[in-house]
Amino acid sequence: MIFSPIEIEETVNMFMRHKLDVRCITMGISLRDCACEDGKKSRARMYDKIMRCAGNLVSVGQDIEKEYGVPIINKRISVTPISLVAEPSGEKSYLEWAVTLDKAAKELGVNFIGGFSALVQKGITPGDRILMDSIPDALASTGSVCASVNLGSSKSGINMNAVKLMGETIKKTAELTKDLPVNGCAKLVVFCNAPEDNPFMAGAFHGPGEGDAVINVGVSGPGVILAAAKEFKGRPIDELADGIKKMAFKITRMGQMVGSEAARRLGVDFGILDLSLAPTPAVGDSVARILEEIGLEGAGAPGTTAALAMLTDMVKKGGVMASTNVGGLSGAFIPVSEDEGMINAVKQGSISLEKLEAMTTVCSVGLDMIAIPGDTPATTISGIMADEMAIGMVNNKTTAVRLIPVPGKKAGDWVEFGGLLGGCPVMEVNRFGCADFINRGGKIPAPIHSFRN
């Protein structure tokens, strides 16, 4: 017998009771060979290549689901940052590029396509500026397109000119999309140290250092980790940590199998496996509830950052042992609107924007899916982003911000985004301004430890 009855029962429980799933399989596609001086011709090449490479992505994902009994929640596409592909065209708006991406995504049946992106950590080219200026119209005119901008890195510092511009862009996007089913800011994220192989939206893009086409997989499993944590109630933290690590190993093996099989069937390379615990609004699928099971009265209570650090580290240690292809973000996500326990923590007042910022020093990404008052100044949004970029730059880790100013809403009001994006209360933002700081522009130099060679 290959598997014992206990192991079989444990696996069945992972899927049936604890909501284990493959959160996404994302095909990364290089569009570098599509760039040319004729924008219309370049977009036609882009559309044809996406359709050719990803034509069977959804059907292969569905076949693997049926054959292996593994839920694959989302099938997605990421592409080369459009600022790099569109710049040779000389066009003054990249809206049509977003519309073309959206058309391909809808025809292929994927839920999101990422890569309406620019990498401006060190400087802004004309193409980068055009892309950033095009983001509000692009997200207002499409349903599937996701946008991202990398504003800083540990090697380059933080581009404060870009930080200022993106604060203004987020405000424009929120206003332009306020009457749409999904606020466009839910599909827009800014990064420090953005990974080139991230399978999760809204930040996925296919980096310049990647191959022609690859499959990247994002596994999830907060419910499974929560169940494992419950088995160690009252036990020493190191014993709990070991239990979480062993469960992360089992989760990762499942993701490795799905990614390898999907890549084989699609005839592309298997890129990476992202180990991130990605919550959903469903009860029992929450990172915040894991933190409470560890011993916190509510997410955000004293000890939260320490507990999250342990959780993130054990997920990485277990996952690395199970796969040689670990990459992306990998750790634990703490999006507010997408985590039932985090939503409850905001409602009961145990967590604040400042505490979430502290937690981002040890989790996978950063301030994610946070609704803020619609009248928050653009410079304040830029200040929040600058703080998060600094955490990533100094700690040599990926950090990100996905803030959603909600026009007409104030702190405490409820806002609904729908589906996996969930809903949440609008969080209070510090009322003291930082306009003089943000309006200086320029650049925050890289930290001293960036000087490595």
Side-chain angles (χ1 to χ4, degrees):
M1 182 181 294
I2 300 176
F3 300 106
S4 71
I6 294 176
E7 289 174 315
I8 294 172
E9 181 183 11
E10 180 184 56
T11 302
V12 171
N13 283 336
M14 283 183 185
F15 293 117
M16 302 301 293
R17 295 179 55 195
H18 306 313
K19 300 179 173 64
L20 176 62
D21 57 53
V22 170
R23 188 54 46 86
C24 59
I25 56 172
T26 302
M27 176 175 280
I29 302 172
S30 172
L31 301 180
R32 288 160 56 184
D33 55 347
C34 301
C36 68
E37 294 181 355
D38 185 326
K40 187 175 181 180
K41 182 182 294 185
S42 184
R43 287 190 294 274
R45 290 177 181 175
M46 176 177 77
Y47 172 82
D48 290 343
K49 184 168 186 181
I50 292 171
M51 297 301 292
R52 182 174 69 252
C53 291
N56 295 323
L57 177 62
V58 171
S59 61
V60 165
Q62 292 170 340
D63 289 344
I64 292 174
E65 282 185 278
K66 293 174 185 175
E67 292 174 33
Y68 291 92
V70 177
I72 301 174
I73 306 302
N74 300 295
K75 295 83 177 174
R76 298 166 170 173
I77 296 169
S78 63
V79 299
T80 304
I82 292 300
S83 65
L84 302 178
V85 183
E87 190 166 36
S89 71
E91 294 182 343
K92 301 305 179 184
S93 168
Y94 295 161
L95 174 59
E96 287 303 315
W97 298 79
V99 170
T100 302
L101 291 175
D102 197 51
K103 179 175 184 287
K106 289 177 179 175
E107 292 182 12
L108 291 170
V110 299
N111 68 323
F112 285 124
I113 184 165
F116 198 75
S117 307
L119 311 177
V120 297
Q121 60 270 19
K122 202 167 185 179
I124 303 175
T125 69
D128 294 329
R129 180 61 193 251
I130 293 169
L131 183 128
M132 288 189 281
D133 288 342
S134 300
I135 285 174
D137 285 330
L139 297 183
S141 304
T142 61
S144 306
V145 173
C146 292
S148 60
V149 180
N150 192 63
L151 303 176
S153 74
S154 295
K155 291 289 288 184
S156 303
I158 302 172
N159 186 340
M160 292 300 290
N161 294 321
V163 169
K164 180 178 186 295
L165 178 59
M166 286 309 298
E168 297 164 356
T169 298
I170 287 171
K171 286 283 287 186
K172 290 177 186 175
T173 301
E175 186 62 36
L176 201 58
T177 61
K178 63 182 180 181
D179 297 323
L180 297 180
V182 177
N183 188 306
C185 295
K187 300 183 294 173
L188 170 60
V189 61
V190 299
F191 281 107
C192 179
N193 293 321
E196 297 189 356
D197 52 10
N198 166 28
F200 286 103
M201 300 295 171
F205 63 87
H206 190 69
E210 297 288 301
D212 196 53
V214 299
I215 283 289
N216 297 320
V217 174
V219 297
S220 188
V224 177
I225 298 297
L226 176 61
K230 288 180 177 178
E231 295 181 9
F232 291 85
K233 186 177 289 292
R235 306 264 289 276
I237 290 176
D238 52 337
E239 293 183 19
L240 168 63
D242 193 54
I244 292 173
K245 180 175 66 176
K246 289 175 180 176
M247 189 56 70
F249 177 88
K250 295 174 183 178
I251 293 171
T252 305
R253 292 303 292 169
M254 179 272 296
Q256 174 82 17
M257 180 270 293
V258 169
S260 299
E261 184 62 17
R264 184 187 69 80
R265 295 187 186 192
L266 290 164
V268 301
D269 291 335
F270 177 32
I272 59 92
L273 187 65
D274 190 307
L275 310 174
S276 298
L277 294 179
T280 72
V283 175
D285 202 23
S286 162
V287 171
R289 296 302 186 191
I290 299 173
L291 298 175
E292 291 173 6
E293 185 61 36
I294 290 172
L296 305 172
E297 187 175 349
T304 295
T305 305
L308 183 60
M310 181 274 290
L311 173 63
T312 303
D313 187 51
M314 289 305 110
V315 168
K316 291 181 178 181
K317 285 176 177 174
V320 166
M321 286 294 291
S323 174
T324 56
N325 298 78
V326 173
L329 300 164
S330 291
F333 289 174
I334 52 171
V336 173
S337 76
E338 298 175 3
D339 186 311
E340 169 270 328
M342 202 67 74
I343 294 167
N344 184 66
V346 175
K347 286 181 177 178
Q348 69 183 12
S350 65
I351 203 163
S352 65
L353 193 58
E354 286 74 20
K355 184 59 179 178
L356 282 167
E357 181 183 303
M359 293 164 67
T360 65
T361 63
V362 298
C363 76
S364 290
V365 196
L367 298 171
D368 194 18
M369 286 303 292
I370 297 172
I372 60 175
D375 61 359
T376 304
T379 50
T380 296
I381 295 172
S382 292
I384 296 170
M385 290 192 296
D387 285 343
E388 198 60 37
M389 300 302 102
I391 289 172
M393 175 185 72
V394 172
N395 291 289
N396 199 29
K397 72 183 292 292
T398 299
T399 52
V401 175
R402 186 162 45 153
L403 294 178
I404 306 170
V406 186
K409 298 287 187 180
K410 61 182 185 301
D413 290 345
W414 179 264
V415 59
E416 187 66 41
F417 303 117
L420 280 175
L421 297 174
C424 63
V426 176
M427 297 191 72
E428 187 174 357
V429 174
N430 192 311
R431 64 185 177 85
F432 289 89
C434 58
D436 288 349
F437 170 59
I438 295 300
N439 288 331
R440 285 176 178 269
K443 180 179 175 182
I444 294 178
I448 186 64
H449 59 65
S450 68
F451 190 60
R452 298 175 183 169
N453 205 350

